[in-house]
Amino acid sequence: MNHLSQIAQKLPEHDLDALLITSEPGERYALGFHGEGVVLVTRKGAHYSTDGRYMEQAKLQVTGAELTLTYTGKGHMALAKEYMKEHHLERVGFESGQMPVDEYHRWAELLPCILTPAQGLLDGLRASKDPQELEAMRQAQRITDQAFGEILNFIRPGRTEREIAARLVYELLRLGGEKMAFDPIVAAGANGSKPHAQPGDQAVAPGMFLTMDFGCVWEGYCSDMTRTVCVGQPTEEMERVYQTVLDAQKAGIAAARAGVTGKSVDAAARQVMEEAGYEEYFSHSLGHSLGLEIHESPNLSYTNEKPLPVGAVTSVEPGIYLPGRFGVRIEDVVVLGEAGCENLTQSPKNLIVL
């Protein structure tokens, strides 16, 4: 999953001779490989430096870039400096959204070039997923859907949030996930009113909602989903809140397509909340993009007034959170096309009563 040519083609548009890539997601996007290295992409070629821990694997996986081994006394910065001098690279972009200030100053002091903020170049490319990226995300979501089916057999009164979270991690890895996309959120009962509750010792009891937000990584790409189930019979109010969230999510998915703004998709779901009288309890935006990172851009948000690109992968996750009582969130991940969207999440969304 190499994107060196796409990056190189964008350099003239940004008036750059090269792009310096130092972050893990940037390295993975450029090379399809992560070895704690540094990538320099020029208009005519690329240079990749890594250390002895990763060089053997890099030789097997990395194509389209000159490989250089770091060693004591000559690290990434020194090698990049040599390459820039040799190829007369004067205006070099860097990942301004990823590089800490102190690190930027170290690079800027050593390199014989003008370092120029260029996060937008990579963000723009990464916003639209290509077929290989989409297949990795589909597989990550298949694993996540399977893990949801397994966890339903594990949940019962007396299980704690922490136990359920641990089982989710186990199932995601057992079923083929490389690692977690993020730490699972498992919230029972009143804890469900906190959108990012951390799993604790709260035990599941009859009459409680249980919200689970989780995902894994496959070939570097993330999945993400949320389901809320009920242990024992729900009250009429619980059923009403659940149905409102489900209707809002369906409205958001129906509105999601390339060419419209994130604000308009968010508004479609928010209108359902408002008509049901729950808008004040929907405390976050409708969704976020994901890919190599669990939170990318663009977002399905009331602040995003830019058209959404073809191939963007976004979550659609409305929620209602009644403080101190309970919460409901339902989340799917969709791929945006010109005529609508493809839902990657196949788990059922009807209210499951365990």
Side-chain angles (χ1 to χ4, degrees):
M1 234 177 287
N2 182 311
H3 296 96
L4 291 172
S5 62
Q6 291 91 331
I7 296 169
Q9 289 169 13
K10 284 289 183 181
L11 293 174
E13 183 180 318
H14 291 260
D15 193 26
L16 296 172
D17 297 322
L19 180 66
L20 175 69
I21 299 172
T22 55
S23 72
E24 177 179 346
E27 178 190 13
R28 188 73 183 247
Y29 180 76
L31 301 174
F33 176 79
H34 170 57
E36 298 184 24
V38 169
V39 189
L40 258 173
V41 185
T42 75
R43 299 185 186 190
K44 296 182 179 180
H47 175 266
Y48 179 57
S49 60
T50 188
D51 62 52
R53 296 171 296 168
Y54 302 101
M55 182 55 77
E56 183 177 359
Q57 192 64 33
K59 288 178 179 178
L60 296 174
Q61 288 186 230
V62 175
T63 59
E66 174 187 328
L67 302 182
T68 306
L69 180 67
T70 63
Y71 57 89
T72 303
K74 186 167 282 191
H76 297 298
M77 289 188 183
L79 291 171
K81 180 179 180 180
E82 287 183 358
Y83 190 82
M84 287 180 183
K85 282 185 174 181
E86 179 184 351
H87 294 272
H88 309 291
L89 305 176
E90 298 178 354
R91 188 175 173 84
V92 177
F94 73 99
E95 295 176 281
S96 46
Q98 296 275 1
M99 185 180 286
V101 174
D102 287 348
E103 184 180 351
Y104 162 76
H105 285 301
R106 290 195 296 272
W107 282 102
E109 288 172 6
L110 180 70
L111 297 182
C113 67
I114 299 171
L115 278 182
T116 303
Q119 189 65 48
L121 188 159
L122 275 183
D123 286 352
L125 288 171
R126 287 173 55 188
S128 296
K129 273 59 179 180
D130 64 28
Q132 282 186 300
E133 291 177 293
L134 290 176
E135 186 50 44
M137 297 190 75
R138 288 189 182 96
Q139 180 58 23
Q141 188 55 54
R142 291 185 194 109
I143 293 168
T144 307
D145 282 325
Q146 291 171 356
F148 177 66
E150 295 294 336
I151 202 66
L152 294 179
N153 298 320
F154 181 77
I155 298 167
R156 62 174 63 99
R159 299 279 196 206
T160 67
E161 297 166 336
R162 198 186 310 275
E163 289 173 323
I164 295 167
R167 186 65 177 225
L168 275 171
V169 170
Y170 166 76
E171 293 295 348
L172 288 166
L173 295 178
R174 182 183 71 84
L175 293 165
E178 296 171 359
K179 61 181 180 179
M180 300 302 99
F182 54 93
D183 292 336
I185 296 168
V186 177
N191 289 336
S193 68
K194 307 165 191 170
H196 276 196
Q198 294 185 339
D201 295 323
Q202 172 66 56
V204 174
M208 280 186 175
F209 271 142
L210 177 69
T211 297
M212 297 169 287
D213 188 343
F214 55 102
C216 71
V217 174
W218 172 264
E219 293 189 352
Y221 285 81
C222 299
S223 64
D224 191 3
M225 69 176 284
T226 306
R227 288 295 184 266
T228 301
V229 301
C230 194
V231 178
Q233 288 300 313
T235 65
E236 289 185 8
E237 181 187 27
M238 292 167 72
E239 290 180 334
R240 182 169 62 252
V241 168
Y242 189 94
Q243 189 61 48
T244 300
V245 174
L246 181 57
D247 290 344
Q249 200 218 25
K250 289 179 177 178
I253 290 174
R257 67 181 186 276
V260 303
T261 66
K263 181 177 181 178
S264 68
V265 183
D266 180 273
R270 208 166 290 278
Q271 182 179 353
V272 174
M273 299 286 201
E274 183 177 2
E275 291 173 353
Y278 288 108
E279 185 184 16
E280 67 178 293
Y281 302 108
F282 179 22
S283 55
H284 52 77
S285 62
L286 181 62
H288 57 88
S289 288
L290 60 154
L292 287 166
E293 297 176 278
I294 194 60
H295 288 104
E296 299 184 354
S297 61
N299 294 322
L300 305 183
S301 166
Y302 60 88
T303 63
N304 182 14
E305 299 186 356
K306 295 180 179 179
L308 298 164
V310 172
V313 179
T314 73
S315 67
V316 184
E317 50 179 307
I320 292 175
Y321 311 98
L322 304 181
R325 301 181 61 207
F326 62 82
V328 174
R329 183 167 66 256
I330 305 170
E331 176 185 20
D332 289 353
V333 167
V334 302
V335 184
L336 304 184
E338 293 179 347
C341 65
E342 173 195 355
N343 195 333
L344 301 186
T345 312
Q346 298 302 309
S347 294
K349 292 188 286 191
N350 55 298
L351 178 55
I352 295 173
V353 177
L354 301 175

